[in-house]
Structure formats: structure tokens, C-alpha cells
Amino acid sequence: MELESVPGVGAKTAAALRELDDPEAALRDGDVASLARAPGITEGRAARIARGAIRAEHDDPGGFTATKRAREIHEDALALLTDRTVTDYAAKRLETIYPSGVRSRIEEVRVFAESAMAREPDPAVLDALSAVEPLAEPGDVRVRDRCLATRDAERYADAQAAIPEVSVEVVDDARQLAELARSYSTVVALDEAFAGVDIEGDVRVEPNALEEPESVVPERVLTFFARNRDRIRAAAEVHRVAALDAPCDLETLLSALDQLDEDGSVTGDEELDRLATAVDDLDAAVSTAESVANDHLREAIEEQDVTIEGTDLLSLVERGAGVDSLLQRELADEYAAAVEKARDHLIDALALRDMEATARRAFPDEPAYPVEHSEDVVARLREELTAARDQRATRRKQELADDLAEMREAAAALVDAALELDVELAIARFADDFDCTMPEVTESEGVAIEGGRSPLLDVPFDAVEPVDYAVEGVTVLSGVNSGGKTSTLDLVALVTTLAHMGLPVPAESARVGRISELHYHAKTQGTLDAGAFEATLREFGDLVADVDHRNPEPDDGAATDEPAAGTDDRPVMVLVDELESITEPGASAKIMAGILEALGERQATAIFVSHLARDIREAAETDISIDGIEAKGLEDGELRVERSPVKGKLARSTPELIVEKLADDGADDADGFYSDLLGKFE
């Protein structure tokens, strides 16, 4: 798939998508999670790109929701689904499921939806999903103690692109390489020509380093897993609770994650912890060791009487000797014991193993008071400890990075599977909450719904009365006010939209003829002015303009019963709620009759809700089907209605029911006034 051929993907977006391992597969699968990993691509943008790619894949021209009300029905249907997601990702992923008139797209989603409906929305799984998010690329890893070195300017550019986390330097010879080694703790030379060159410092010759960037910058892998640690753990928990097949051994993955700290450093290594603690505590341990030695020596001096004969004192003074000489002569053993205590304390406090010899030299054998450490020896000890710590950390980073790198794809698949499970569970919960079933999508016109209940009504779903309704061709739906005509129209629109999304519908069963466009015109509030009225008529004119309504005659002049051109490749459904409200009732009936006749010739499926059903039938030149939502009567001032429309029945209006009630009450109709009024309705 050519990336730039996808609607909404320009050169800049295509360049970002090419950063992914397999952008074509992600586009083909509508994989929002993978697409959102591309630089600068948000989940919302990824969903829009995925929709464009899906349309391109199925040669889908779009435009199914052809009017504002049709789009609102789609948005309402989508909201019913997204309200049942746990993750933001799943909500965005569901946006890639849209109503389409293309059979291949409908079938593709149906397969997915049927599988999803088999899922059990376990509360424990939903709870585990709450912590799952798409994996994030760190993008800010920078390592300053390492650099790459090369003699080749072209390879210099390749190195910058392949391993941007470290500096890349151009060197001409071994002398310049040695200078780099004094500035960086590790230098990785990319040229085979430097092999065998003896340079002081950590200089490695790795000609294949660009093909194995993790060997140079294990922090790349470690930071990725550190940043995504909680998300991966949550995804693993989802797999465990939902009993999903994991793409890797979860215990191995989780064990590796346990060795990572939040900042990407290695944790849980006792030797590394020992060395790091020794470096941090060195100054404090040396200071304490001095105190230990001096305390011991002070006590020894206080407890011991030292007698010096006059000739000895005179000799010491003449030689310029001080306390050191006195200690060496009189307290040599105690001084040695004090220094030994200092050395033991330093070794024990830092838990030293291989560096005991250096640590012992930190306190000299020559007597002195107070006892003081050798700064040069302590500096050397610090260097040895730091080098050992860094070497251990680098080795452990590399080992852990190697292990995690092998599981990176599996970790991504683990998270993606958990997120996709949320999408499936949203569909399963939708189907369960609204007693849905998969509809039959046919190539014949019309729609048939049995036991349909609209979740769009402002009442609890359990309180919604089921509706049976079937329409083929064009029909006027009549009925009393508040009898459910608009909600029936909404139900037809919702079932039709969901069926063309490839999703289950809220009905016991449903058959929906495949269409390419849904035109739903909601009730207009108030009479339109001349300009708005003209615009409305133009909408209907555009809808049927591609069809010769009079069925053109062939060359021999004989009439034909063949469908008008354009009918088969552009089937439509038209739903209109009380079009008579846009102008005067008398004119409205004539206009609606003409529109219905034209739609009938176009072989469209159309339902017009109107109180002017009788007038429309009289104004039409062809037979117009009329269905009615029957009112059973009035009871305590409230309508009792049979919600399912009756085929071929012109429903009585609310005024007629009231007059009938008064006429039936003989006491109120002694002079026959109400009976005469009732006769006017016949």
C-alpha cells in the first residue's frame, strides 16, 4: 500500500508512519495502537488515518450518513459503544468502525463483531484493563558517557541516524581516538582499521555496531521497558485474568521487568548495590574509621603512664622529635591496634572484597596523632570502586537489555491484545445490555425489524416496548401524537446504521437491505422561510436527479419496466419526520406525494412520518403505502398505543379519539353533536 495514497496522509505523515516496523500492515488492520506509535501521531489522528486506509482498501467512497440527522444517529450509536470501553484506546479504535455501503467492509466487521459477542465481560477483566495503555516510545534517551568514532564521513551520518542517543565523532588516526578515550568512559570505534590498536581506556572496535544499536546503547531498550513497565504488567494481568494466550512466557517477562527501576537502571543486583553503596558511603566510612582509630588511641594514652627520663627528653628535644616519635617509642603497639581497627571498620562498612589491600593502605603504618587517612589512597580506592560499579552496571544493563530486546515485540503484542480485548468487550457489553442480535444484510431493498427496542429513548431500556416493523419501497407512517412515530423512525435509522457498521442491532431479529446512503431529515421546528424551503426541496431534487423518473423509452418507443439507471449502484434509504411542518399543510401533501413518487421510481426505501397521510394518498398519482401506529384509546386522559405500526392502516389522530370518546358517552352527546363530528373523520 502506497502511504501517500491513503486519504489524509501527506508527505510529512507518511514519513512519520515509515518509522514503524510495518506501517502497511497497521493501516490494513486499522491498528490504531501501532499507528499512534509513529512520531507526532496521536490516537485520534491514528483513528482518522486508519479509517482512510480502510476506505481505500475497500474502495469505499464514503458518504453513508448523508444528512445531519443521519450523522447524529451514527454518533449516538458510536457513543453507546464507547461508553462501554475501559481504555481511551478502545474508544478511538471503535471510531474506525463506520457505516459503509460496501459489502466487503460490512462482512469484515461482522466477523470481528460475531467473535466479540462470544466474549464474557468479566468484571475482573474490566478492572485489569483500567491500567492498560498503548506503549510509548521514550524519544528522550541521551547517553553522555559514550561515543561512536569513525573515519568515514558517510558512516558518520549513518551512525547519527542509527544511534542518535550518543555523540558521533570523526577521527583521523589512533591519536585522536586516544584523545576521545580520555573524554568518554567508553568509545566504540566503527572502523575495522582500528582493530589491534593499543589505546588506554575503554575503546571497543565494533564494525557491526550500527546493526546492533542495543549493544552500544542498552539504555534504549531499558528506558522503553521502564517507561512502559506498568502498562506491560497490566496487560499481563489482563491475559492472566481473561485466560488469553500470551505471546511470550509471562513469568519470564515480569521477572525481567522486576529488575528495572523507574529510571531504567538495573535493580535487584546485590553486587551492584554493594558497589554503588560503597561509592556513596566512602567518605563517611573513612571519616568514621579515623574516629575509631583516634578514640582507641586516646583511651590508650589516657590509661597509660609514660615516664621519660631527663636525658631521654633532652635527646628528643635536641633531635626536634615530637609526638610521633614519642608514640613510636612508647605506644607503638597501641597505634598499630588503632590503625588496624580503622582499616577493619573501613573494609566492613563498605563490604569490600577485592579491594581490601587498597583500603588498608588508606591508613599508614607510621605513628601519628591524630590518625589521618591518605588522600591519595582514598582517591585511588574511589576510582577502583567507581570503575567496578560502572563496569558491573554496564554488564548488567547489557545482559538485561539483551533479554528484554528479545521480548520487545512480544510485549507490544501483549499490550495490543489487551487493548483489542477492550474493543471486543465493548461490543459484547453493548450486545448484552441491549439484547442485540446480528442482522441479516441482504441485497434486496427494505428493512424488517422484529422485537426492536431503541436504546436512544430517554427511558430505561427495560421499559422500552418492543416494535415490529417492516418496510419495502416507500411508505407513509401515520399515527397519533406521542404515539412513537419519531422513535420508530430513529429505531429504523439506528438498526440500519448498525447493520452497515457490521455490528449487532437491538432487536430479536432484523433484515436490512444494503444501501449506500442514509438520508434522515428530522422534524423542522416551525415553518421555513422561502429560501430555506427552496434549499430543502433542492436536497430532495439532488437525491433523485440522477434518475429519469419517467423511465425513458427505448428507440422503438415501447415502455420498459427496467429499473432506472443508478438505482442498483446507489441504493438509498430516506427517512423524513413531518415534512409538512416546513410549509402550508395543503402544499406539503402535494410536495410529499411528488417526492414519494420519485423515490418509488428510484426504488428507494423511504418512510415519511406525517399527519397528512390521507391527503398525500389523494394527491399521489400512484399507490402510496400507508402504515399506522394505532391508538387503542384514551384511558384516564392518557393514550394507550400499540407501538408496532400496522401495515396498510391509516391511524386515527388524537382529536378523532377524543371525539370518539365523547360520542360514545351518551350522556354528553344527547343532541348527537359529537357523533356528527366523528362522521367528519370518515
Side-chain angles (χ1 to χ4, degrees):
M1 178 186 296
E2 186 63 34
L3 297 183
E4 283 86 348
S5 68
V6 175
V9 175
K12 185 177 180 180
T13 302
L17 292 175
R18 290 190 182 96
E19 297 291 324
L20 302 174
D21 291 336
D22 194 348
E24 290 83 3
L27 289 169
R28 247 188 337 266
D29 299 338
D31 188 348
V32 175
S34 293
L35 294 174
R37 293 190 194 114
I41 304 296
T42 64
E43 287 182 5
R45 175 123 175 84
R48 291 192 294 273
I49 293 171
R51 282 198 302 273
I54 292 168
R55 285 199 170 101
E57 180 76 12
H58 292 277
D59 196 20
D60 185 349
F64 182 92
T65 53
T67 61
K68 178 183 177 182
R69 182 59 183 150
R71 289 188 289 273
E72 289 173 349
I73 291 293
H74 171 222
E75 290 168 1
D76 290 342
L78 194 58
L80 292 173
L81 290 158
T82 56
D83 285 348
R84 285 158 179 78
T85 60
V86 178
T87 63
D88 291 339
Y89 165 83
K92 296 298 182 184
R93 172 72 170 83
L94 284 168
E95 291 180 9
T96 67
I97 301 178
Y98 61 91
S100 170
V102 179
R103 167 66 72 176
S104 61
R105 173 56 182 169
I106 296 171
E107 289 299 326
E108 184 177 66
V109 180
R110 281 175 66 91
V111 171
F112 177 73
E114 287 172 345
S115 174
M117 290 171 67
R119 296 285 188 189
E120 183 64 35
D122 187 338
V125 176
L126 299 177
D127 183 62
L129 278 168
S130 63
V132 182
E133 295 180 55
L135 298 180
E137 293 290 343
D140 59 351
V141 178
R142 188 69 184 168
V143 180
R144 303 188 183 281
D145 66 345
R146 253 157 284 162
C147 80
L148 297 171
T150 180
R151 299 170 62 179
D152 189 331
E154 184 176 341
R155 201 161 199 200
Y156 170 84
D158 293 340
Q160 284 187 316
I163 311 180
E165 296 91 343
V166 301
S167 296
V168 184
E169 306 288 346
V170 176
V171 295
D172 295 327
D173 49 36
R175 181 183 60 80
Q176 292 182 350
L177 191 63
E179 290 177 358
L180 283 179
R182 287 192 288 272
S183 302
Y184 293 93
S185 62
T186 300
V187 177
V188 178
L190 302 177
D191 305 303
E192 188 73 44
F194 288 117
V197 176
D198 187 15
I199 297 175
E200 185 177 351
D202 185 9
V203 177
R204 294 180 282 167
V205 180
E206 297 183 11
N208 298 323
L210 301 188
E211 286 73 44
E212 301 173 354
E214 289 81 6
S215 67
V216 178
V217 190
E219 290 88 351
R220 176 186 293 186
V221 175
L222 298 180
T223 302
F224 171 81
F225 277 94
R227 298 275 178 88
N228 293 291
R229 184 176 55 174
D230 292 342
R231 304 176 187 195
I232 296 171
R233 284 173 172 168
E237 179 64 10
V238 169
H239 278 69
R240 186 189 68 78
V241 176
L244 298 179
D245 291 334
C248 63
D249 183 74
L250 294 182
E251 291 303 321
T252 300
L253 175 60
L254 294 175
S255 175
L257 289 177
D258 287 341
Q259 299 176 53
L260 266 181
D261 211 339
E262 292 182 358
D263 61 357
S265 59
V266 178
T267 186
D269 185 299
E270 293 183 0
E271 177 62 10
L272 181 58
D273 291 343
R274 180 187 71 80
L275 291 170
T277 300
V279 172
D280 293 340
D281 294 350
L282 177 59
D283 289 338
V286 169
S287 177
T288 303
E290 285 182 345
S291 298
V292 167
N294 287 315
D295 289 346
H296 176 86
L297 200 55
R298 187 181 299 109
E299 291 176 3
I301 294 173
E302 290 174 350
E303 293 176 359
Q304 194 164 356
D305 293 330
V306 178
T307 302
I308 302 178
E309 295 181 2
T311 56
D312 292 335
L313 178 59
L314 180 60
S315 176
L316 289 172
V317 172
E318 288 176 348
R319 294 202 306 267
V323 177
D324 293 350
S325 297
L326 182 62
L327 287 173
Q328 187 173 8
R329 174 180 171 180
E330 299 294 335
L331 298 171
D333 292 342
E334 292 298 340
Y335 178 82
V339 168
E340 192 63 24
K341 279 190 174 184
R343 293 167 174 170
D344 290 344
H345 176 84
L346 182 60
I347 292 170
D348 292 342
L350 300 181
L352 298 180
R353 296 172 185 169
D354 301 330
M355 303 170 194
E356 290 187 26
T358 303
R360 290 189 176 281
R361 291 198 302 274
F363 295 96
D365 293 327
E366 295 78 12
Y369 186 82
V371 178
E372 294 180 344
H373 67 273
S374 169
E375 191 62 49
D376 291 342
V377 175
V378 170
R380 172 60 65 87
L381 180 59
R382 190 190 317 278
E383 290 176 1
E384 291 180 2
L385 285 170
T386 301
R389 179 200 64 187
D390 292 347
Q391 290 171 5
R392 178 74 181 185
T394 300
R395 185 166 62 254
R396 289 293 297 119
K397 280 183 178 181
Q398 191 63 65
E399 292 170 353
L400 185 56
D402 289 344
D403 292 341
L404 287 172
E406 294 179 358
M407 293 184 282
R408 180 160 179 163
E409 288 187 10
L414 188 79
V415 173
D416 288 352
L419 293 169
E420 284 297 313
L421 177 64
D422 190 22
V423 179
E424 295 182 44
L425 290 177
I427 295 175
R429 295 168 72 188
F430 168 80
D432 186 59
D433 289 348
F434 301 120
D435 297 334
C436 293
T437 187
M438 288 301 295
E440 178 186 2
V441 180
T442 70
E443 297 303 314
S444 59
E445 66 180 61
V447 60
I449 302 170
E450 293 186 7
R453 290 190 291 164
S454 174
L456 303 180
L457 296 175
D458 193 21
V459 295
F461 184 71
D462 291 342
V464 177
E465 296 181 38
V467 171
D468 299 335
Y469 192 35
V471 173
E472 291 183 8
V474 298
T475 298
V476 177
L477 179 59
S478 61
V480 296
N481 288 330
S482 302
K485 300 186 298 299
T486 298
S487 61
T488 298
L489 217 56
D490 283 349
L491 176 64
V492 171
L494 180 64
V495 168
T496 300
T497 298
L498 287 168
H500 284 80
M501 293 172 77
L503 297 175
V505 301
E508 293 176 6
S509 67
R511 174 185 57 78
V512 179
R514 186 171 60 87
I515 61 174
S516 62
E517 297 172 18
L518 173 62
H519 295 256
Y520 187 174
H521 294 270
K523 185 187 302 183
T524 302
Q525 300 298 320
T527 303
L528 300 180
D529 59 32
F533 176 66
E534 179 183 348
T536 300
L537 288 183
R538 284 185 180 276
E539 289 186 41
F540 286 103
D542 292 341
L543 179 59
V544 297
D546 61 341
V547 180
D548 183 348
H549 301 153
R550 293 177 299 279
N551 284 339
E553 296 180 354
D555 292 340
D556 60 6
T560 176
D561 293 328
E562 291 299 319
T567 299
D568 293 334
D569 60 357
R570 188 170 170 246
V572 299
M573 175 181 286
V574 183
L575 306 176
V576 181
D577 194 2
E578 295 191 22
L579 188 62
E580 62 262 30
S581 64
I582 69 173
T583 188
E584 296 87 350
S588 294
K590 295 182 177 65
I591 291 169
M592 282 188 281
I595 294 173
L596 286 166
E597 287 173 342
L599 291 174
E601 292 180 11
R602 195 197 191 288
Q603 294 190 338
T605 299
I607 305 173
F608 276 45
V609 166
S610 178
H611 291 289
L612 304 177
R614 181 183 282 108
D615 297 332
I616 294 170
R617 182 166 57 187
E618 292 174 356
E621 296 179 4
T622 59
D623 288 338
I624 301 293
S625 298
I626 296 178
D627 301 334
I629 295 179
E630 279 280 90
K632 298 177 182 178
L634 291 168
E635 185 175 301
D636 298 328
E638 296 290 333
L639 278 173
R640 291 184 295 110
V641 179
E642 176 56 53
R643 299 294 178 182
S644 295
V646 179
K647 301 298 295 179
K649 177 71 174 180
L650 177 61
R652 294 180 297 171
S653 65
T654 303
E656 182 179 358
L657 290 171
I658 295 173
V659 172
E660 181 184 60
K661 181 178 184 296
L662 294 172
D664 290 342
D665 189 341
D668 289 338
D669 196 26
D671 56 1
F673 172 72
Y674 298 119
S675 297
D676 292 340
L677 285 181
L678 185 60
K680 300 292 185 182
F681 288 95
E682 296 178 357

